[in-house]
C-alpha cells in the first residue's frame, strides 16, 4: 500500500507545514514528504497537482486529500494515533482544542511581524501594540496550561499533543526574535527546541538555500 504523502513548503519558513509534519512524526507514521519551494516558478507549476487551494500543507492518504493543517492533525490523530494526540482528560482536551483553534485563526500581528525563520537568530523587531498583545496572549495561554499539568510532563498538557504542534512555530519565532519570558515558560520552549523531531526539522531548514524576503524580518 502506498505511503501517505505530506506536501509541504520550505522548512525554514513554512510554519503551517511544520504542524502536521510534527503530528505525523509523533504518531509514528511512515510517510513520504514532498517539499515544493515557496514563491518559486516550481511551486506555481506543481502545487495544483496536489492542492485544491494551491497552498501547503496537504496530506494525501489512500486517495483522500486533506488540505488544512489542523484538519490534517485531526486526521492523523484519528487514523494512526488512536486519539492519543489530544489529552485524555475531557476538560484538558477541550482546552487543548480551544487554544489550537485560537492559534489557527488568530495572532495576525505575530505572524506578520515575526515570520518563522528557523535559520535566523538574534533578530530584533519592535514589540508594541498588537504584536505585544499577541505575545502576551500566547504566554498567558502557555502559563495556564503548564500550571494545570506542571507535574505530568514538560509539554503544554503534560504529554505531547496537537496543541504543541500548533504552537511549535511560535516557539521557533520566539527563539529567533529573542522574546523574553518567565523561567517556567522558557523551560517549555527548551523542551520544544530539544525535541528530536524539531531538531531534525531545524537541521533540514538550515540546508535550504531559498530566501524569501517577507520571511527575513528584523535586524
Amino acid at each position: 500500500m502506498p505511503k501517505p504523502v505530506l506536501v509541504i513548503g520550505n522548512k525554514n519558513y513554512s510554519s503551517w507545514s511544520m504542524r502536521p509534519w510534527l503530528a505525523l512524526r509523533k504518531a509514528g507514521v511512515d510517510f513520504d514528504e514532498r517539499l515544493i519551494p515557496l514563491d518559486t516558478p516550481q511551486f506555481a507549476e506543481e502545487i495544483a497537482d496536489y492542492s485544491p487551494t494551491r497552498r501547503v500543507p496537504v496530506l494525501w492518504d489512500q486517495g483522500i486529500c486533506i488540505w488544512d493543517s489542523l484538519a490534517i492533525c485531526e486526521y492523523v490523530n484519528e487514523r494512526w494515533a488512536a486519539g492519543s494526540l489530544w489529552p485524555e482528560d475531557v476538560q484538558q482536551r477541550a482546552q487543548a482544542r480551544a487554544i489550537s483553534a485560537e492559534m489557527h485563526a488568530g495572532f495576525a500581528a505575530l505572524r506578520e511581524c515575526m515570520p518563522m525563520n528557523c535559520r535566523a537568530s538574534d533578530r530584533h523587531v519592535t514589540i508594541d501594540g498588537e504584536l505585544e498583545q499577541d505575545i502576551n496572549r500566547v504566554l498567558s495561554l502557555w502559563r495556564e496550561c503548564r500550571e494545570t499539568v506542571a507535574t505530568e510532563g514538560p509539554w503544554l498538557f503534560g504529554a505531547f499533543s496537537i496543541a504543541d504542534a500548533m504552537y511549535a512555530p511560535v516557539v521557533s519565532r520566539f527563539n529567533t526574535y529573542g522574546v523574553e519570558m518567565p523561567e517556567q515558560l522558557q523551560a517549555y520552549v527548551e523542551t520544544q527546541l530539544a525535541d528530536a523531531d524539531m531538531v531534525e526539522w531545524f537541521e533540514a531548514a538550515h540546508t535550504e538555500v531559498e530566501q524569501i524576503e517577507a520571511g527575513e524580518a528584523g535586524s
Side-chain angles (χ1 to χ4, degrees):
M1 183 177 297
K3 296 179 184 179
V5 178
L6 182 68
V7 185
I8 63 174
N10 303 67
K11 288 185 175 178
N12 191 54
Y13 299 111
S14 185
S15 58
W16 290 111
S17 296
M18 176 189 278
R19 294 170 169 121
W21 189 92
L22 287 172
L24 284 159
R25 279 303 188 91
K26 297 307 179 187
V29 181
D30 183 16
F31 67 98
D32 286 331
E33 174 186 305
R34 175 74 174 95
L35 191 155
I36 310 176
L38 300 171
D39 293 354
T40 63
Q42 179 185 350
F43 189 90
E45 291 171 4
E46 296 182 10
I47 191 58
D49 293 336
Y50 297 99
S51 173
T53 63
R54 296 178 180 266
R55 296 180 179 180
V56 291
V58 180
L59 179 69
W60 282 90
D61 179 46
Q62 298 183 357
I64 299 171
C65 175
I66 306 100
W67 61 87
D68 172 86
S69 288
L70 188 52
I72 296 171
C73 290
E74 289 277 17
Y75 181 81
V76 171
N77 184 52
E78 295 176 0
R79 171 90 161 84
W80 293 289
S84 64
L85 290 181
W86 288 122
E88 183 176 353
D89 178 83
V90 65
Q91 293 183 344
Q92 291 181 15
R93 189 161 65 248
Q95 185 181 11
R97 281 195 164 110
I99 71 167
S100 296
E102 184 172 350
M103 182 72 257
H104 188 267
F107 300 103
L110 178 59
R111 300 180 200 281
E112 180 179 354
C113 300
M114 290 183 167
M116 191 176 85
N117 188 330
C118 297
R119 291 194 302 254
S121 61
D122 297 323
R123 293 288 178 92
H124 302 282
V125 297
T126 301
I127 299 177
D128 57 15
E130 292 183 0
L131 175 58
E132 185 175 24
Q133 292 176 23
D134 279 358
I135 291 172
N136 289 339
R137 177 58 179 163
V138 169
L139 296 180
S140 177
L141 290 173
W142 288 358
R143 186 181 301 109
E144 290 174 10
C145 296
R146 293 299 304 138
E147 287 175 351
T148 301
V149 296
T151 63
E152 298 177 21
W155 300 95
L156 288 177
F157 293 91
F160 184 93
S161 72
I162 289 171
D164 296 294
M166 292 301 293
Y167 282 86
V170 179
V171 167
S172 176
R173 288 176 164 100
F174 285 3
N175 182 60
T176 294
Y177 301 99
V179 174
E180 296 182 359
M181 64 192 73
E183 182 178 348
Q184 175 196 33
L185 302 185
Q186 185 60 42
Y188 170 65
V189 167
E190 291 171 2
T191 292
Q192 282 265 28
L193 293 175
D195 177 74
D197 294 318
M198 281 282 278
V199 169
E200 181 177 336
W201 179 279
F202 271 69
E203 287 177 347
H206 276 79
T207 68
E208 295 174 353
V209 297
E210 296 85 8
Q211 192 166 45
I212 299 175
E213 184 176 354
E216 298 294 332
S219 58

